[in-house]
């Protein structure tokens, strides 16, 4: 791929602007997963080694543009980075419009870019403002590559030199490995609540996979083709499309489910055949027979693509299916496994299987759109800025 990368661009004693994806899960202003931050450290360390003046931009959550909201502040992340780089001076500033002095080997982090008016609609003035901050722009936020925003796309267009960081390049390399020349059989696990948001990627994955295993609300829509699914989440408008896919491709749906009964004083959780669900029951997880079947398929896989849990894993009562599948993937030492998406990262951290997954993608939407074959705006920008050697 013809794009500039950080190793081939001279950043020694240069003023560089790095766009990172520090959009980590938070609970009461405390970080609950450090995966995305830790994945970004290699690029920061390389820039420090090159004695650069480092400016960092990132988003966090979905605040109202132009309005400061404490719960979306990058301050907890800045404090974590100070712990990781105790010997480095790290400045933290809110106002992007003021001039700040920064020395070589120091880091300046600006507050959440989504507080800035014009960020989301790729405002030209804001993009130029970002670009004026640096001599070299480095995009290392693959999770935002599908968004055409001021701090991801516009800044790259107006910067003199734009290149990809280590994480960004690693993401592209690993994703290509999965979709270009994968070792077979290729097994995909696709979870999530809505088939509508993942239908196009589901079609693409069906074409390249030997087997596609569906879970969550996506599986419920497939189950609804022939079964009553009670109060379970599903999308009626997609039943016919799901039916066509099921007929054409090898799609595995749950043969039994763990359901919640809701018309009794004391809520009960029972496992029953997916074909025997009653009106007062709601599917919350896959059942034991489904788990056994899926584990056998995963054991034989040579390439695994995993996006999303197969049940309501946030609750102890309904995480067994996701847990067993996660362990099955991590225990397959003969496969190349790639996992992506916010919930998937949370599952990996919950069950402590990070070291047994071949590659963990920090992207959610970008991860899926890349596999789907869409041309991501940030990659298009990098191609435009490519410098032929």
């Amino acid at each position: 791929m013809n794009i500039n990368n950080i190793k081939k661009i001279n950043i020694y004693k240069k003023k560089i602007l790095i766009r990172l994806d520090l959009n980590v899960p938070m609970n009461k202003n405390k970080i609950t997963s450090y995966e995305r931050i830790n994945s970004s450290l290699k690029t920061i360390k390389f820039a420090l080694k090159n004695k650069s003046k480092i400016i960092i931009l990132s988003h966090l959550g979905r605040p109202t543009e132009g309005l400061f909201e404490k719960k979306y502040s990058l301050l907890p992340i800045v404090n974590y980075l100070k712990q990781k780089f105790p010997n480095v001076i790290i400045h933290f500033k809110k106002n992007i419009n003021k001039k700040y002095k920064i020395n070589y080997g120091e880091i300046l982090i600006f507050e959440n870019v989504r507080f800035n008016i014009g960020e989301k609609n790729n405002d030209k003035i804001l993009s130029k403002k970002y670009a004026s901050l640096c001599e070299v722009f480095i995009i290392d936020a693959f999770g935002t590559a599908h968004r055409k925003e001021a701090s991801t796309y516009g800044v790259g267009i107006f910067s003199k030199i734009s290149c990809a960081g280590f994480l960004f390049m690693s993401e592209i390399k690993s994703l290509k490995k999965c979709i270009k020349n994968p070792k077979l059989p290729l097994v995909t696990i696709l979870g999530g609540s809505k088939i509508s948001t993942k239908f196009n990627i589901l079609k693409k994955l069906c074409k390249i996979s030997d087997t596609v295993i569906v879970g969550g609300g996506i599986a419920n829509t497939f189950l609804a083709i022939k079964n009553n699914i009670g109060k379970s989440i599903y999308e009626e408008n997609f039943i016919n499309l799901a039916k066509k896919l099921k007929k054409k491709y090898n799609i595995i749906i749950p043969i039994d489910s763990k359901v919640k009964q809701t018309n009794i004083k004391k809520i009960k959780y029972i496992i029953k055949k997916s074909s025997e669900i009653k009106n007062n029951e709601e599917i919350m997880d896959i059942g034991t027979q489904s788990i056994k079947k899926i584990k056998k398929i995963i054991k034989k896989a040579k390439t695994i693509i995993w996006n999303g849990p197969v049940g309501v894993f946030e609750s102890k009562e309904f995480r067994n299916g996701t847990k067993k599948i996660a362990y099955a993937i991590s225990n397959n030492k003969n496969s190349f496994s790639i996992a992506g998406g916010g919930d998937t990262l949370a599952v990996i951290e919950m069950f402590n299987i990070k070291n047994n997954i071949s590659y963990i993608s920090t992207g959610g939407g970008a991860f899926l759109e890349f596999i789907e074959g869409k041309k991501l705006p940030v990659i298009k920008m990098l191609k435009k800025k490519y410098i032929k050697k």
Side-chain angles (χ1 to χ4, degrees):
M1 186 178 286
N2 289 333
I3 62 175
N4 304 319
N5 73 70
I6 190 171
K7 288 184 76 174
K8 295 182 179 179
I9 297 294
N10 179 22
I11 63 167
Y12 183 72
K13 285 198 170 182
K14 295 283 176 70
K15 195 173 186 181
I16 64 170
L17 178 65
I18 310 174
R19 175 52 160 103
L20 299 176
D21 182 4
L22 305 176
N23 184 33
V24 294
M26 308 276 286
N27 185 18
K28 295 179 181 179
N29 288 324
K30 290 186 178 180
I31 302 165
T32 58
S33 171
Y34 298 93
E35 180 62 36
R36 278 182 171 156
I37 307 176
N38 293 336
S39 297
S40 304
L41 297 181
K42 186 176 180 180
T43 292
I44 298 174
K45 288 175 181 176
F46 185 77
L48 287 170
K49 189 178 178 181
N50 277 274
K51 299 179 181 179
S52 305
K53 293 181 179 181
I54 305 163
I55 301 169
I56 293 173
L57 299 178
S58 179
H59 74 286
L60 177 66
R62 297 181 179 180
T64 303
E65 241 183 45
L67 181 68
F68 174 81
E69 296 177 71
K70 187 180 177 181
K71 67 178 179 179
Y72 295 121
S73 172
L74 292 183
L75 182 58
I77 296 161
V78 173
N79 289 335
Y80 177 71
L81 286 172
K82 285 181 178 179
Q83 293 173 32
K84 300 300 285 186
F85 299 102
N87 299 318
V88 177
I89 294 173
I90 299 179
H91 311 270
F92 180 48
K93 302 294 181 181
K94 292 182 179 180
N95 194 340
I96 197 85
N97 293 309
K98 286 186 179 180
K99 288 187 177 180
Y100 301 100
K101 185 181 178 182
I102 177 172
N103 297 315
Y104 293 111
E106 294 182 354
I107 299 172
L108 168 60
I109 304 174
F110 279 111
E111 185 56 283
N112 192 338
V113 291
R114 288 188 177 170
F115 291 158
N116 301 328
I117 294 173
E119 168 61 22
K120 282 195 171 184
N121 67 3
N122 191 37
D123 179 75
K124 188 180 283 189
I125 294 173
L126 183 59
S127 297
K128 287 183 176 179
K129 178 65 185 177
Y130 290 146
S132 70
L133 297 172
C134 66
E135 296 171 89
V136 179
F137 170 64
I138 301 168
I139 178 75
D140 210 26
F142 182 79
T144 66
H146 60 311
R147 298 192 183 108
K148 196 173 183 178
E149 297 178 345
S151 70
T152 60
Y153 180 88
V155 58
I157 291 293
F158 293 111
S159 294
K160 185 178 178 182
I161 299 172
S162 298
C163 68
F166 289 110
L167 177 60
F168 200 99
M169 295 302 297
S170 180
E171 294 270 10
I172 292 172
K173 183 181 177 181
S174 296
L175 288 171
K176 276 187 172 182
K177 187 175 179 179
C178 266
I179 59 179
K180 288 287 175 76
N181 294 299
K183 288 185 178 180
L184 302 177
L186 191 161
V187 174
T188 292
I189 299 100
L190 190 66
S193 59
K194 291 185 177 181
I195 192 172
S196 56
T197 58
K198 292 185 177 180
F199 188 74
N200 289 333
I201 182 63
L202 178 58
K203 284 198 295 183
K204 171 70 175 182
L205 288 168
C206 282
K207 289 177 183 177
I208 66 171
S209 304
D210 295 281
T211 305
V212 174
I213 298 161
V214 291
I218 296 174
N220 295 344
T221 302
F222 280 93
L223 286 170
I225 296 169
K226 292 182 178 180
N227 305 287
N228 174 33
I229 58 167
K231 294 185 176 182
S232 310
I233 294 170
Y234 79 108
E235 291 179 278
E236 189 175 357
N237 293 339
F238 277 80
I239 290 176
N240 285 333
L241 290 170
K243 187 177 180 180
K244 289 177 182 176
L245 284 181
K246 185 74 174 68
K247 190 176 180 180
K248 190 173 182 181
Y249 299 105
N250 185 27
I251 299 174
I252 303 299
I253 61 176
I255 52 178
D256 62 343
S257 304
K258 191 172 190 180
V259 301
K260 178 172 73 173
Q261 297 177 328
T262 56
N263 69 340
I264 48 180
K265 288 182 180 179
K266 188 178 181 181
I267 296 173
K268 283 187 177 180
Y269 312 111
I270 60 172
I271 294 173
K272 60 195 307 186
K273 288 182 181 179
S274 299
S275 58
E276 296 177 356
I277 293 164
K278 296 178 181 178
N279 291 336
N280 68 315
E281 295 173 336
E282 183 179 1
I283 298 170
M284 305 298 283
D285 195 5
I286 61 174
T288 51
Q289 294 306 310
S290 298
I291 292 169
K292 285 180 183 178
K293 183 179 180 180
I294 291 167
K295 282 173 68 177
K296 286 180 182 178
I297 295 168
I298 291 172
K299 191 174 183 180
K300 295 176 182 177
K302 294 296 183 186
T303 304
I304 301 169
I305 299 174
W306 175 26
N307 176 259
V310 296
V312 187
F313 78 100
E314 296 90 346
S315 299
K316 280 186 178 180
E317 298 90 348
F318 309 121
R319 68 174 57 143
N320 190 52
T322 300
K323 178 182 178 180
K324 296 295 185 183
I325 286 175
Y327 284 141
I329 295 168
S330 68
N331 290 334
N332 185 341
K333 310 298 184 187
N334 297 316
S335 71
F336 177 83
S337 54
I338 184 163
D343 285 342
T344 315
L345 296 183
V347 170
I348 289 168
E349 202 149 330
M350 180 182 287
F351 301 125
N352 194 28
I353 58 170
K354 177 184 174 182
N355 294 334
N356 294 328
I357 304 296
S358 306
Y359 190 80
I360 299 171
S361 173
T362 57
F367 167 81
L368 294 175
E369 288 188 22
F370 188 93
I371 291 174
E372 189 182 331
K374 286 187 176 179
K375 297 183 185 301
L376 305 187
V378 172
I379 292 178
K380 287 202 286 186
M381 175 274 292
L382 288 170
K383 286 181 176 180
K384 283 182 182 179
K385 302 293 288 189
Y386 178 61
I387 301 168
K388 291 180 181 179
K389 298 290 183 180

